[in-house]
mmCIF file of all heavy atoms in Angstrom:
data_model
loop_
_atom_site.group_PDB
_atom_site.id
_atom_site.type_symbol
_atom_site.label_atom_id
_atom_site.label_comp_id
_atom_site.label_asym_id
_atom_site.label_seq_id
_atom_site.Cartn_x
_atom_site.Cartn_y
_atom_site.Cartn_z
ATOM 1 N N LYS A 1 0.814 -1.210 -0.003
ATOM 2 C CA LYS A 1 0.013 -0.005 0.000
ATOM 3 C C LYS A 1 0.864 1.272 0.003
ATOM 4 O O LYS A 1 0.721 2.144 0.844
ATOM 5 C CB LYS A 1 -0.911 -0.022 1.218
ATOM 6 C CG LYS A 1 -1.999 -1.089 1.183
ATOM 7 C CD LYS A 1 -2.730 -1.132 2.499
ATOM 8 C CE LYS A 1 -3.975 -1.989 2.455
ATOM 9 N NZ LYS A 1 -5.105 -1.315 1.800
ATOM 10 N N GLY A 2 1.822 1.344 -0.923
ATOM 11 C CA GLY A 2 2.628 2.533 -1.085
ATOM 12 C C GLY A 2 3.683 2.753 -0.026
ATOM 13 O O GLY A 2 4.034 3.897 0.270
ATOM 14 N N HIS A 3 4.250 1.709 0.522
ATOM 15 C CA HIS A 3 5.267 1.810 1.564
ATOM 16 C C HIS A 3 6.648 1.502 1.022
ATOM 17 O O HIS A 3 6.805 0.788 0.053
ATOM 18 C CB HIS A 3 4.943 0.879 2.741
ATOM 19 C CG HIS A 3 3.635 1.159 3.379
ATOM 20 N ND1 HIS A 3 3.373 2.307 4.092
ATOM 21 C CD2 HIS A 3 2.465 0.454 3.395
ATOM 22 C CE1 HIS A 3 2.147 2.297 4.530
ATOM 23 N NE2 HIS A 3 1.546 1.171 4.135
ATOM 24 N N ASN A 4 7.654 2.056 1.696
ATOM 25 C CA ASN A 4 9.047 1.748 1.339
ATOM 26 C C ASN A 4 9.390 0.377 1.918
ATOM 27 O O ASN A 4 9.336 0.173 3.150
ATOM 28 C CB ASN A 4 9.987 2.820 1.916
ATOM 29 C CG ASN A 4 9.782 4.176 1.275
ATOM 30 O OD1 ASN A 4 9.806 4.300 0.049
ATOM 31 N ND2 ASN A 4 9.555 5.191 2.097
ATOM 32 N N LEU A 5 9.725 -0.542 1.035
ATOM 33 C CA LEU A 5 9.989 -1.917 1.494
ATOM 34 C C LEU A 5 11.369 -2.367 1.048
ATOM 35 O O LEU A 5 11.874 -1.991 0.004
ATOM 36 C CB LEU A 5 8.949 -2.872 0.867
ATOM 37 C CG LEU A 5 7.483 -2.642 1.229
ATOM 38 C CD1 LEU A 5 6.637 -3.698 0.519
ATOM 39 C CD2 LEU A 5 7.251 -2.692 2.729
ATOM 40 N N ASP A 6 11.967 -3.222 1.907
ATOM 41 C CA ASP A 6 13.208 -3.899 1.589
ATOM 42 C C ASP A 6 12.928 -5.383 1.741
ATOM 43 O O ASP A 6 12.727 -5.880 2.846
ATOM 44 C CB ASP A 6 14.321 -3.452 2.540
ATOM 45 C CG ASP A 6 15.672 -3.967 2.106
ATOM 46 O OD1 ASP A 6 15.981 -5.151 2.354
ATOM 47 O OD2 ASP A 6 16.433 -3.185 1.531
ATOM 48 N N LEU A 7 12.896 -6.105 0.619
ATOM 49 C CA LEU A 7 12.464 -7.497 0.606
ATOM 50 C C LEU A 7 13.616 -8.406 0.151
ATOM 51 O O LEU A 7 14.215 -8.145 -0.894
ATOM 52 C CB LEU A 7 11.268 -7.693 -0.295
ATOM 53 C CG LEU A 7 10.064 -6.775 -0.082
ATOM 54 C CD1 LEU A 7 9.060 -6.894 -1.220
ATOM 55 C CD2 LEU A 7 9.404 -7.104 1.250
ATOM 56 N N THR A 8 13.853 -9.466 0.914
ATOM 57 C CA THR A 8 14.875 -10.428 0.534
ATOM 58 C C THR A 8 14.283 -11.847 0.532
ATOM 59 O O THR A 8 13.662 -12.237 1.517
ATOM 60 C CB THR A 8 16.086 -10.399 1.517
ATOM 61 O OG1 THR A 8 16.677 -9.098 1.476
ATOM 62 C CG2 THR A 8 17.131 -11.406 1.097
ATOM 63 N N PHE A 9 14.494 -12.561 -0.548
ATOM 64 C CA PHE A 9 13.994 -13.936 -0.684
ATOM 65 C C PHE A 9 15.143 -14.869 -0.869
ATOM 66 O O PHE A 9 15.931 -14.705 -1.834
ATOM 67 C CB PHE A 9 13.022 -14.034 -1.853
ATOM 68 C CG PHE A 9 11.818 -13.145 -1.760
ATOM 69 C CD1 PHE A 9 11.835 -11.862 -2.305
ATOM 70 C CD2 PHE A 9 10.678 -13.561 -1.077
ATOM 71 C CE1 PHE A 9 10.747 -11.025 -2.199
ATOM 72 C CE2 PHE A 9 9.573 -12.727 -0.952
ATOM 73 C CZ PHE A 9 9.611 -11.461 -1.530
ATOM 74 N N SER A 10 15.339 -15.834 0.042
ATOM 75 C CA SER A 10 16.437 -16.773 -0.033
ATOM 76 C C SER A 10 15.883 -18.155 -0.435
ATOM 77 O O SER A 10 15.045 -18.720 0.277
ATOM 78 C CB SER A 10 17.130 -16.875 1.345
ATOM 79 O OG SER A 10 17.682 -15.625 1.695
ATOM 80 N N LEU A 11 16.371 -18.660 -1.567
ATOM 81 C CA LEU A 11 15.877 -19.922 -2.112
ATOM 82 C C LEU A 11 16.904 -21.031 -1.852
ATOM 83 O O LEU A 11 18.072 -20.874 -2.163
ATOM 84 C CB LEU A 11 15.624 -19.800 -3.615
ATOM 85 C CG LEU A 11 14.321 -19.148 -4.071
ATOM 86 C CD1 LEU A 11 14.163 -17.738 -3.516
ATOM 87 C CD2 LEU A 11 14.237 -19.113 -5.580
ATOM 88 N N SER A 12 16.409 -22.150 -1.322
ATOM 89 C CA SER A 12 17.270 -23.288 -1.063
ATOM 90 C C SER A 12 16.498 -24.607 -1.269
ATOM 91 O O SER A 12 15.304 -24.593 -1.539
ATOM 92 C CB SER A 12 17.845 -23.227 0.345
ATOM 93 O OG SER A 12 16.819 -23.265 1.322
ATOM 94 N N GLU A 13 17.205 -25.702 -1.153
ATOM 95 C CA GLU A 13 16.619 -27.051 -1.289
ATOM 96 C C GLU A 13 15.892 -27.184 -2.626
ATOM 97 O O GLU A 13 16.477 -27.049 -3.664
ATOM 98 C CB GLU A 13 15.736 -27.373 -0.085
ATOM 99 C CG GLU A 13 16.532 -27.381 1.236
ATOM 100 C CD GLU A 13 15.697 -27.785 2.428
ATOM 101 O OE1 GLU A 13 14.613 -28.375 2.244
ATOM 102 O OE2 GLU A 13 16.125 -27.509 3.556
ATOM 103 N N LYS A 14 14.557 -27.362 -2.601
ATOM 104 C CA LYS A 14 13.792 -27.573 -3.838
ATOM 105 C C LYS A 14 12.919 -26.342 -4.166
ATOM 106 O O LYS A 14 11.821 -26.495 -4.718
ATOM 107 C CB LYS A 14 12.906 -28.804 -3.705
ATOM 108 C CG LYS A 14 13.660 -30.086 -3.462
ATOM 109 C CD LYS A 14 12.725 -31.271 -3.324
ATOM 110 C CE LYS A 14 13.478 -32.568 -3.066
ATOM 111 N NZ LYS A 14 12.568 -33.722 -2.898
ATOM 112 N N ALA A 15 13.408 -25.180 -3.874
ATOM 113 C CA ALA A 15 12.614 -23.961 -4.038
ATOM 114 C C ALA A 15 12.237 -23.723 -5.514
ATOM 115 O O ALA A 15 13.083 -23.733 -6.413
ATOM 116 C CB ALA A 15 13.373 -22.768 -3.517
ATOM 117 N N ASP A 16 10.954 -23.524 -5.729
ATOM 118 C CA ASP A 16 10.381 -23.124 -7.022
ATOM 119 C C ASP A 16 9.426 -22.000 -6.707
ATOM 120 O O ASP A 16 8.280 -22.193 -6.353
ATOM 121 C CB ASP A 16 9.646 -24.330 -7.646
ATOM 122 C CG ASP A 16 9.067 -24.007 -9.024
ATOM 123 O OD1 ASP A 16 9.043 -22.797 -9.406
ATOM 124 O OD2 ASP A 16 8.623 -24.928 -9.711
ATOM 125 N N PHE A 17 9.925 -20.758 -6.833
ATOM 126 C CA PHE A 17 9.263 -19.589 -6.259
ATOM 127 C C PHE A 17 8.659 -18.689 -7.339
ATOM 128 O O PHE A 17 9.343 -18.294 -8.289
ATOM 129 C CB PHE A 17 10.283 -18.796 -5.447
ATOM 130 C CG PHE A 17 9.755 -17.529 -4.855
ATOM 131 C CD1 PHE A 17 8.624 -17.511 -4.085
ATOM 132 C CD2 PHE A 17 10.453 -16.324 -5.045
ATOM 133 C CE1 PHE A 17 8.133 -16.346 -3.540
ATOM 134 C CE2 PHE A 17 9.968 -15.135 -4.500
ATOM 135 C CZ PHE A 17 8.815 -15.145 -3.753
ATOM 136 N N THR A 18 7.388 -18.381 -7.183
ATOM 137 C CA THR A 18 6.693 -17.423 -8.051
ATOM 138 C C THR A 18 6.177 -16.267 -7.204
ATOM 139 O O THR A 18 5.429 -16.511 -6.253
ATOM 140 C CB THR A 18 5.533 -18.100 -8.808
ATOM 141 O OG1 THR A 18 6.058 -19.193 -9.573
ATOM 142 C CG2 THR A 18 4.852 -17.106 -9.728
ATOM 143 N N LEU A 19 6.551 -15.053 -7.541
ATOM 144 C CA LEU A 19 6.105 -13.876 -6.837
ATOM 145 C C LEU A 19 5.266 -12.982 -7.730
ATOM 146 O O LEU A 19 5.673 -12.614 -8.834
ATOM 147 C CB LEU A 19 7.298 -13.066 -6.306
ATOM 148 C CG LEU A 19 6.989 -11.683 -5.736
ATOM 149 C CD1 LEU A 19 6.132 -11.801 -4.465
ATOM 150 C CD2 LEU A 19 8.257 -10.907 -5.432
ATOM 151 N N SER A 20 4.054 -12.641 -7.243
ATOM 152 C CA SER A 20 3.219 -11.661 -7.919
ATOM 153 C C SER A 20 3.086 -10.476 -6.967
ATOM 154 O O SER A 20 2.340 -10.499 -5.993
ATOM 155 C CB SER A 20 1.826 -12.272 -8.223
ATOM 156 O OG SER A 20 1.001 -11.310 -8.827
ATOM 157 N N PHE A 21 3.862 -9.425 -7.271
ATOM 158 C CA PHE A 21 3.935 -8.243 -6.403
ATOM 159 C C PHE A 21 3.144 -7.113 -7.029
ATOM 160 O O PHE A 21 3.281 -6.812 -8.213
ATOM 161 C CB PHE A 21 5.395 -7.826 -6.216
ATOM 162 C CG PHE A 21 5.591 -6.607 -5.379
ATOM 163 C CD1 PHE A 21 5.655 -6.694 -3.996
ATOM 164 C CD2 PHE A 21 5.691 -5.337 -5.980
ATOM 165 C CE1 PHE A 21 5.843 -5.562 -3.208
ATOM 166 C CE2 PHE A 21 5.861 -4.211 -5.201
ATOM 167 C CZ PHE A 21 5.934 -4.309 -3.821
ATOM 168 N N ALA A 22 2.289 -6.453 -6.210
ATOM 169 C CA ALA A 22 1.474 -5.337 -6.692
ATOM 170 C C ALA A 22 1.634 -4.151 -5.759
ATOM 171 O O ALA A 22 1.724 -4.327 -4.538
ATOM 172 C CB ALA A 22 0.013 -5.741 -6.787
ATOM 173 N N CYS A 23 1.668 -2.939 -6.294
ATOM 174 C CA CYS A 23 1.856 -1.755 -5.483
ATOM 175 C C CYS A 23 1.050 -0.592 -6.052
ATOM 176 O O CYS A 23 1.040 -0.373 -7.294
ATOM 177 C CB CYS A 23 3.352 -1.408 -5.435
ATOM 178 S SG CYS A 23 3.719 0.105 -4.490
ATOM 179 N N ILE A 24 0.384 0.168 -5.179
ATOM 180 C CA ILE A 24 -0.299 1.395 -5.545
ATOM 181 C C ILE A 24 0.306 2.518 -4.695
ATOM 182 O O ILE A 24 0.303 2.416 -3.468
ATOM 183 C CB ILE A 24 -1.809 1.323 -5.319
ATOM 184 C CG1 ILE A 24 -2.450 0.209 -6.162
ATOM 185 C CG2 ILE A 24 -2.483 2.660 -5.648
ATOM 186 C CD1 ILE A 24 -3.931 0.018 -5.912
ATOM 187 N N SER A 25 0.806 3.559 -5.322
ATOM 188 C CA SER A 25 1.476 4.626 -4.573
ATOM 189 C C SER A 25 1.086 5.997 -5.099
ATOM 190 O O SER A 25 1.020 6.224 -6.304
ATOM 191 C CB SER A 25 2.999 4.456 -4.645
ATOM 192 O OG SER A 25 3.647 5.505 -3.956
ATOM 193 N N ASP A 26 0.848 6.932 -4.162
ATOM 194 C CA ASP A 26 0.546 8.339 -4.540
ATOM 195 C C ASP A 26 1.611 9.289 -4.001
ATOM 196 O O ASP A 26 1.373 10.486 -3.876
ATOM 197 C CB ASP A 26 -0.842 8.735 -4.033
ATOM 198 C CG ASP A 26 -0.937 8.706 -2.517
ATOM 199 O OD1 ASP A 26 0.044 8.318 -1.855
ATOM 200 O OD2 ASP A 26 -2.029 9.079 -1.990
#
């Protein structure tokens, strides 16, 4: 919701990762 974010994703083992990221900012 329009915030400053710091995101870290660490993948290991059998990771199969799909990210759907949405943002609305004014």
